[in-house]
Amino acid sequence: MNDAPLQPSAGIPVVTETARPASWKTFYRKLAKNKAALAGAFIVLVFVLLAILAPIIAPYDPLKMNIVNKLQGPSAEHWLGTDDKGRDILSRLLWGSRISLTVGILSTLLGATVGIVLGIVSGYYGRWIDSLIMRFCDVLLAFPGILLALAIVSVLGASTTNVIIAVAFFAVPTFARIVRGSTLGVKKLEYIDAIKAMGAKDSRIIFRHILPNILSPIIVQSTLYIASAIITAAALSFLGMGTRPPDPEWGTMLSQGRSYIRQAPHITLFPGLFILLIVVGFNLFGDGLRDALDPKTKK
């Protein structure tokens, strides 16, 4: 059976377009009323701009060492001070934002893509396929995220690329479960039965009618998971299993500065603040997206 335009049949309602969530105007209006979400979006935007403009606005080479100036506190010359090797902390933080955001975004995209495919297949086809995929997800969810990531990186080796793979791997079951539940709800709607009765292929039903209607929870979960991915990546680097020195990754900077926490606390203070701010920003923005995209929200 080909995938030609569907023709109306007697007694079967014609579906001219996919049912959609609230309009964009309603979405923007709800989001604009949420001050916390706007604050989160502003924080995220600032960090994205810092990452993009790091080569231009960073005052020093983040890898250049100057032992004479090591462990200096904040000053007019070095706004956030220097580390144990005399490197400018501000420059390292700006360049490190590129690594942290890249890991967070790429691992989320990779994990979400695989999770969406598994979730839709599981929810749409059901039966033994559903049981097999869900048991696989249960096994992954039985392990704490950081331990599973540590195990994967231990096998693959410590590097930024392997951190992305490890963090993405743990994201798969979370997205798969969310997408499966949403797919089960949409699959039961009458217009899906009507489309099936008119002879539409499964691929057309999935990609043109089911997937567009379950994007809201996917978008929200993606935004929230980026924050978790950044924390996990920083934790792996802190433990020496992530981005390797001398690359300026925030977790690595925390690890290197812990030996000087009494003598020069600024070495760990500022990387910790950057991690805190970016995580809070994504969480606030994600919560705002969830409220704005929820059709049940009246405010």
Side-chain angles (χ1 to χ4, degrees):
M1 185 178 294
N2 57 31
D3 201 20
L6 303 178
Q7 301 297 326
S9 303
I12 299 178
V14 178
V15 182
T16 57
E17 67 176 273
T18 304
R20 299 186 183 277
S23 66
W24 284 109
K25 290 184 179 179
T26 303
F27 166 74
Y28 286 127
R29 185 169 62 250
K30 289 182 179 180
L31 190 62
K33 291 181 179 179
N34 192 327
K35 304 304 180 184
L38 293 179
F42 176 76
I43 294 173
V44 172
L45 179 61
V46 168
F47 274 95
V48 171
L49 290 177
L50 290 178
I52 295 173
L53 300 176
I56 300 174
I57 62 178
Y60 298 93
D61 184 343
L63 303 180
K64 185 177 181 180
M65 296 184 290
N66 187 351
I67 303 300
V68 177
N69 294 328
K70 69 176 183 179
L71 302 180
Q72 287 188 357
S75 63
E77 185 179 2
H78 300 280
W79 289 5
L80 301 184
T82 60
D83 63 8
D84 59 310
K85 295 178 178 61
R87 297 171 297 194
D88 183 68
I89 292 179
L90 176 58
S91 299
R92 290 179 63 77
L93 287 174
L94 293 176
W95 280 91
S97 62
R98 287 189 154 199
I99 298 176
S100 295
L101 287 175
T102 298
V103 171
I105 294 173
L106 290 184
S107 61
T108 300
L109 286 176
L110 180 59
T113 300
V114 178
I116 289 170
V117 172
L118 293 179
I120 288 184
V121 170
S122 176
Y124 185 79
Y125 292 103
R127 299 183 179 180
W128 66 270
I129 298 179
D130 181 29
S131 299
L132 181 63
I133 294 177
M134 287 300 101
R135 297 300 76 77
F136 170 72
C137 293
D138 290 340
V139 171
L140 294 183
L141 290 173
F143 298 93
I146 186 64
L147 292 182
L148 183 61
L150 273 172
I152 295 173
V153 173
S154 298
V155 173
L156 299 179
S159 70
T160 303
T161 301
N162 292 339
V163 169
I164 293 175
I165 295 173
V167 177
F169 193 77
F170 182 68
V172 170
T174 302
F175 281 97
R177 281 183 168 275
I178 291 174
V179 172
R180 173 184 178 271
S182 300
T183 301
L184 288 174
V186 174
K187 188 178 73 169
K188 296 178 181 178
L189 298 178
E190 292 183 357
Y191 82 93
I192 296 295
D193 294 333
I195 295 170
K196 288 182 178 180
M198 288 188 285
K201 290 183 177 180
D202 289 343
S203 59
R204 176 170 180 167
I205 295 174
I206 289 173
F207 291 107
R208 295 191 60 180
H209 300 283
I210 293 182
L211 184 58
N213 282 289
I214 62 175
L215 285 178
S216 295
I218 294 173
I219 294 173
V220 173
Q221 181 60 29
S222 298
T223 306
L224 295 173
Y225 191 80
I226 292 176
S228 300
I230 291 174
I231 292 179
T232 303
L236 290 174
S237 297
F238 182 85
L239 296 173
M241 301 297 292
T243 301
R244 304 303 297 270
D247 291 341
E249 201 275 338
W250 294 342
T252 303
M253 295 175 67
L254 281 174
S255 178
Q256 293 174 338
R258 59 181 173 175
S259 301
Y260 306 93
I261 196 167
R262 292 181 180 273
Q263 182 181 359
H266 63 278
I267 298 179
T268 54
L269 173 62
F270 294 116
L273 285 177
F274 268 55
I275 294 174
L276 173 65
L277 286 174
I278 190 64
V279 169
V280 169
F282 273 110
N283 281 331
L284 290 177
F285 185 50
D287 288 339
L289 284 179
R290 178 175 55 195
D291 295 337
L293 292 171
D294 187 359
K296 298 179 182 178
T297 303
K298 300 298 182 182
K299 294 182 181 180

